[in-house]
Amino acid sequence: MTSENHQLDSAPVIGILAEFDGPEALKTAAAGLRATGYTRYEAFSPYPVHGIDAVLDRKRTILPKLVLLGGFGGCLVALLLQWWTNAVDYPYWISGKPLFSLPANIPVTFELIILFGALAAFGGGLVLSNLPEFYHPLSGCASFRQGTTDAFFLAVEVADPQFDEVGTTDLLRFLGAKAAEVYHRPQTRRDIPGALKAGAVLLLALALAPPLWIATYRYAPKSLPRIHPILDMDFQPKYLPQQYSPLFADTRDMRPPVAGVVAVDAPLGDLHLLAGEIDGKPAKTFPMPVTSEIMKRGQQRYGIYCATCHGLAGDGDGITSQLAFQREEPKWVRPLSLHSASVVEQPVGQLFKTVSDGVRAMPSYRVQIPVEDRWAILLYVRALQRSQNATITDVPEGLRKHLGAGTN
Amino acid sequence: MSVLPLDDNMTQAPTRRARLVLGQADCASVTETVCAIVERRRPPAAWYVAFVISVAATGMFFVSIGYLIATGVGVLGNNAPVFWAWPIVNFVFWIGIGHAGTLISAILFLFRQRWRTGINRFAEAMTIFAVVCAGVFPAIHVGRAWVIYWLAPYPNQMSLWPNFRSPLLWDVFAVSTYGTVSLLFWYLGMIPDLATLRDRATTSWRRLLYGLFAVGWRGSASQWHRFEWAYLLLAALATPLVLSVHSVVSFDFAVAQVPGWHSTIFPPYFVAGAIFSGCAMVVMLAVPARSLFGLKSLITMRHLDNMNRLILGTSLLVGYAYGIEWFMAWYSGNPYEMFAHLNRALGPYAWAYWTMVACNVLVPQLFWLQTVRTSTWLMWPIAVLVNVGMWMERFVIIVASLGREYLPSGWGMYRPTVVDVMMLAGSFGLFFTLFLLFCRYLPMVAMAEVKGVLSHHNGNSDNP
């Protein structure tokens, strides 16, 4: 008996602790206690004493059944998870494989059976042993602490109907106990230091601050863009068109083609016909002889491609334009009248470029209209321009008399 | 009948059980031997030297990971066509190391191999630390490591779910289950020993911390009853699990159609290789640990001898697998498969292939000699070479196969960068750091289990 226990002699008795020599002595004594009719006692040993369960008449634990349940649970969860996610909620085809097929689901199902079974074994093992249990009345006994090293104990609780301080001690000694001591309820308990508790509470409170701050920041309205902590590939170290680059003398990141380079779609051949150019300048003449067939062809093509916007007479009042104004399309710009001085004065080669490449809102017609037709259309446009800006001298003399005098 | 001397368990005496613990051991001395390592004021000087080196390597590991994440996967040598490369080689290597720990703790437990009690605790610790090292590599080589949680099936605002028909996802489940179950198994077995440390504690910090993790264990008969059932059930669950983990890892390769990967032999071949390399790691760790911490009576020469026999046996299995791969390549009549194997043996990575064959098949044959099996000075370098060979095996499988697939226009050579090398070395640093901390602060030998087998000493009792 230790001095620690002497001081506590006045405290209420809660049991008797008896130490035995080894596993066999422990079993014999436990059998003796049971034969005498004791019911509230427990054996303690540094390693499992096989056979003591039978002596103590303990029922087999339900742990194996819990593990079986865990395994079934894991199986069910795994199958439902794989079926619902891949076949129902988010079905997608991969190499024509079925959305739900057992062979592909075996590995994950197997792993979850094991995982849930193992969690049941571990958690069930602890809970069924009433663990964690950080306080035990016997932990106050200094000798009891030897129990996890090499000592074998029987502890009889005061709650046992047969309990008697003297009688039970004698019985235990009779059953072979090396030592038997009455133990009392400890009056002082070694508590966790107050500073440690306060520190833990403070740490917990502080730990809440960052997630709270993040949550507030995420959901509160903000006038500035939110912090972008992970950039992914939003900002890449690369050159985009029209940027500054210190690598070149002209500080442009876009490089002009090397001398002699020919663009993929560059006109090759008669530049007058294909590009409307003569010696690099816009041509003032047509590349083909002007005939009435070409003029008629031009009129017809003009009606198809141009009149919808420019109008049948080239005034910029085509049906598309009229409709756009009727609908008050905010972005619509009335096409320039083909009779305005700025258009009339352009060389025909320049007009050819406009038809081929487009200008301002007008798209390119290079693809839709073959090159000969473009020239034919321009021929018709020239005729239209002449008709709208004609003077009396343009009219053959024999026909002038049909027109009212003084008309242009 | 002659009585075996107390300090010999190597003598082959068919009528007598070999001693599991040497010397005049009893419960108190076992406790004293194991707890003294944790309770001594200062560990041996060698511990400090090893710890400083390991922590430095761990620092390098995390610095290179930080550099990788901040810069991008371009800092590694991974590039077309070898996108898996070293990170996955390291992953498979480390996962394999872990397998021996589970073999010793679970499979040998089910087979009632009581000698395992001397080495199971630290072999299990080795498993957990190896899984930690393994888990890092797939996570950091995905490119955007900060969204690695997308691998988990959780309801998300993108309304997406992972693809459960992919071996890569099976791998996520297999490895995370393996890590979890190994940790539970290790911790459950350690609870009684943590209680011993708690009850022997002389400072309140020790009492608090060991007490916290001992969760109030008192060693009552009802606790032992549940403990033994839980331990047995976990062993029964861990046994098929460990066989499944490297099988699933092998599916990452075998389910793909890369020549040299698409093979039905992969699951058993990978499991055998994993146990092979793991046993070598056990020897690598046990030889210095038992002499440094005075555990020669608990981790006896017979334990090492048994591990070396396991290494020899699994080496034969692995060698057989190498041979049968050639047979299958030839017998399949598939020119790509045959080319993949010729390329391994004669191509640009032939040096790796022949290193692998030499280290994994030829060198372990030395273990046929008992003098080699029982000499720590010989077994240690052999164990190191086995691990070199097993790392090479994964390198050959991954890099040599990916580098030369079907179309020659898609061929390419892989070259590691400095960051690759730093990461491999750093992962060893992390592994040894964790192991050294374990040696210093946790019971390295399963005391309660060793106490349970002490009764074998009289040679006649098989604890009923």
Side-chain angles (χ1 to χ4, degrees), chain A residues 54-374:
Chain A
V55 173
L56 297 176
D57 194 24
R58 292 272 163 74
K59 272 193 227 157
R60 204 170 112 166
T61 174
I62 58 161
L63 193 59
K65 295 186 184 79
L66 284 186
V67 173
L68 187 68
L69 271 181
F72 277 128
C75 181
L76 199 67
V77 166
L79 287 176
L80 283 176
L81 177 73
Q82 294 178 88
W83 164 74
W84 189 75
T85 56
N86 276 189
V88 178
D89 192 46
Y90 184 55
Y92 55 109
W93 289 98
I94 292 163
S95 333
K97 294 170 191 163
L99 291 174
F100 181 67
S101 79
L102 228 38
N105 294 338
I106 285 174
V108 169
T109 310
F110 178 86
E111 301 300 337
L112 285 195
I113 289 173
I114 300 273
L115 180 65
F116 280 46
L119 290 173
F122 181 80
L126 285 190
V127 170
L128 292 175
S129 313
N130 291 322
L131 295 176
E133 182 194 40
F134 290 107
Y135 172 72
H136 192 278
L138 278 172
S139 57
C141 284
S143 54
F144 182 65
R145 286 191 220 121
Q146 195 64 23
T148 49
T149 297
D150 62 354
F152 297 80
F153 292 108
L154 272 178
V156 183
E157 287 178 42
V158 74
D160 194 293
Q162 304 226 38
F163 185 85
D164 171 65
E165 257 188 64
V166 180
T168 308
T169 308
D170 287 346
L171 174 65
L172 285 166
R173 286 192 195 282
F174 172 74
L175 289 172
K178 290 201 289 193
E181 62 180 287
V182 175
Y183 65 93
H184 302 259
R185 182 177 303 286
Q187 283 174 323
T188 52
R189 283 176 53 184
R190 216 189 308 272
D191 272 333
I192 298 172
L196 209 62
K197 278 185 189 165
V201 169
L202 190 69
L203 267 181
L204 272 178
L206 285 177
L208 279 176
L212 280 176
W213 182 79
I214 290 169
T216 317
Y217 195 86
R218 260 189 93 124
Y219 293 106
K222 285 267 175 286
S223 54
L224 290 171
R226 284 164 209 279
I227 294 175
H228 195 137
I230 289 169
L231 301 176
D232 286 326
M233 294 176 76
D234 296 352
F235 304 98
Q236 299 172 28
K238 68 179 183 188
Y239 285 119
L240 294 169
Q242 310 283 7
Q243 283 187 340
Y244 169 82
S245 163
L247 294 174
F248 302 104
D250 62 2
T251 69
R252 295 193 296 174
D253 67 331
M254 297 164 71
R255 307 312 305 150
V258 182
V261 165
V262 178
V264 172
D265 54 352
L268 293 173
D270 181 0
L271 290 183
H272 189 182
L273 174 71
L274 298 173
E277 277 180 11
I278 295 172
D279 300 332
K281 287 177 186 162
K284 293 184 175 161
T285 56
F286 284 86
M288 70 292 184
V290 172
T291 65
S292 64
E293 283 83 41
I294 296 177
M295 182 66 86
K296 286 212 170 71
R297 172 81 180 166
Q299 182 183 24
Q300 190 229 7
R301 294 286 113 174
Y302 179 89
I304 292 171
Y305 290 113
C306 314
T308 47
C309 286
H310 288 285
L312 285 168
D315 294 318
D317 58 349
I319 190 162
T320 309
S321 195
Q322 288 177 32
L323 195 65
F325 280 112
Q326 199 180 320
R327 289 186 177 172
E328 299 179 352
E329 291 285 344
K331 288 183 179 171
W332 183 257
V333 180
R334 184 192 171 98
L336 207 55
S337 166
L338 299 179
H339 312 303
S340 59
S342 65
V343 180
V344 172
E345 284 161 13
Q346 285 179 27
V348 70
Q350 185 67 46
L351 292 177
F352 180 83
K353 282 183 185 298
T354 302
V355 175
S356 302
D357 301 333
V359 65
R360 293 186 292 276
M362 175 175 159
S364 157
Y365 283 86
R366 187 189 296 276
V367 178
Q368 290 100 316
I369 312 176
V371 66
E372 287 80 8
D373 284 351
R374 271 178 257 156

Side-chain angles (χ1 to χ4, degrees), chain B residues 281-303:
Chain B
M281 189 61 97
V282 169
V283 171
M284 266 177 74
L285 295 175
V287 166
R290 69 196 272 274
S291 74
L292 200 59
F293 296 110
L295 290 172
K296 285 184 180 171
S297 62
L298 293 171
I299 303 173
T300 64
M301 188 50 84
R302 196 177 179 92
H303 287 99

Side-chain angles (χ1 to χ4, degrees), chain B residues 33-215:
Chain B
T33 310
V34 178
C35 290
I37 301 168
V38 178
E39 288 166 354
R40 62 194 282 183
R41 277 183 65 80
R42 289 183 190 285
W47 185 91
Y48 282 108
V49 174
F51 190 69
V52 166
I53 295 171
S54 303
V55 167
T58 309
M60 185 174 75
F61 191 41
F62 286 108
V63 165
S64 52
I65 289 174
Y67 176 60
L68 167 79
I69 291 175
T71 316
V73 280
V75 302
L76 301 177
N78 308 21
N79 211 333
V82 187
F83 284 115
W84 276 12
W86 273 32
I88 300 303
V89 174
N90 296 342
F91 161 71
V92 181
F93 172 77
W94 278 118
I95 271 289
I97 292 292
H99 280 51
T102 319
L103 172 98
I104 291 164
S105 63
I107 299 181
L108 296 187
F109 179 76
L110 293 186
F111 283 119
R112 304 210 183 284
Q113 296 296 305
R114 292 179 200 279
W115 59 271
R116 72 181 258 294
T117 52
I119 50 172
N120 75 323
R121 171 69 44 72
F122 90 84
E124 283 172 52
M126 180 194 80
T127 295
I128 288 156
F129 305 147
V131 172
V132 168
C133 292
V136 172
F137 284 101
I140 57 172
H141 109 297
V142 293
R144 290 196 287 162
W146 48 93
V147 291
I148 192 70
Y149 59 88
W150 285 358
L151 290 170
Y154 72 104
N156 57 70
Q157 63 198 23
M158 301 172 288
S159 294
L160 294 174
W161 291 102
N163 173 20
F164 282 99
R165 286 158 287 178
S166 160
L168 301 182
L169 193 74
W170 304 345
D171 214 8
V172 173
F173 276 78
V175 172
S176 51
T177 300
Y178 185 49
T180 311
V181 173
S182 300
L183 189 66
L184 292 180
F185 197 34
W186 183 57
Y187 176 54
L188 182 77
M190 199 152 51
I191 287 176
D193 292 349
L194 290 171
T196 308
L197 282 168
R198 171 201 64 199
D199 288 344
R200 286 169 58 96
T202 47
T203 67
S204 42
W205 274 110
R206 279 178 171 273
R207 191 156 39 237
L208 182 73
L209 288 174
Y210 287 120
L212 195 64
F213 286 100
V215 293

Side-chain angles (χ1 to χ4, degrees), chain B residues 381-409:
Chain B
I382 292 177
V384 172
L385 283 179
V386 165
N387 271 321
V388 170
M390 283 309 293
W391 192 88
M392 283 297 168
E393 180 196 297
R394 280 65 176 247
F395 179 84
V396 166
I397 290 174
I398 292 172
V399 175
S401 302
L402 282 178
R404 293 197 166 180
E405 277 192 57
Y406 297 96
L407 281 179
S409 60

